[in-house]
Amino acid sequence: MARVPSAVVAASGLVGGYGVARWTRKRQLGGVVLAAAGAAAAQQWRRQAGGKAAGALTVAYAAAFAGSHPLAKKVGAWPAVFGVAGAVALASWAVADRNAG
């Protein structure tokens, strides 16, 4: 079975977490999606690029989540979420996925 790239996992966690929180009106459920995808991506990052890179990408993932909130006040919620998800996906690809497999 083909492995899902960590860039896709991370971006999906940010977009999916927001979507679940918005559509269910339960922020905690969105947080579960965000955390589960973040943990899965972090495992892949560590396996593909090592501990330091995984730590840096995990910090970027958390910062993207936090940064999407003030960004949403300027550009709207969905554009902010898609923007930070794209940034995390690009960083993940550049650091971990580009040379994997």
Side-chain angles (χ1 to χ4, degrees), residues 3 13-14 19 28-29 54 59 65 94:
R3 188 174 46 91
L14 290 161
Q28 298 86 349
L29 287 179
V59 168
F65 167 69

Side-chain angles (χ1 to χ4, degrees), residues 8-23 30 33-34 37 61 78 80-86:
V8 173
V9 174
S12 296
L14 290 161
V15 173
Y18 175 69
V20 167
R22 180 166 180 144
W23 289 314
V33 171
L34 179 80
Y61 184 80
W78 281 112
V81 170
F82 286 131
V84 301

Side-chain angles (χ1 to χ4, degrees), residues 2-6 44 47-49 93 95-101:
R3 188 174 46 91
V4 177
S6 63
Q44 283 184 262
R47 195 170 43 251
Q48 293 170 200
W93 175 81
V95 172
D97 293 334
R98 178 174 44 176
N99 296 321

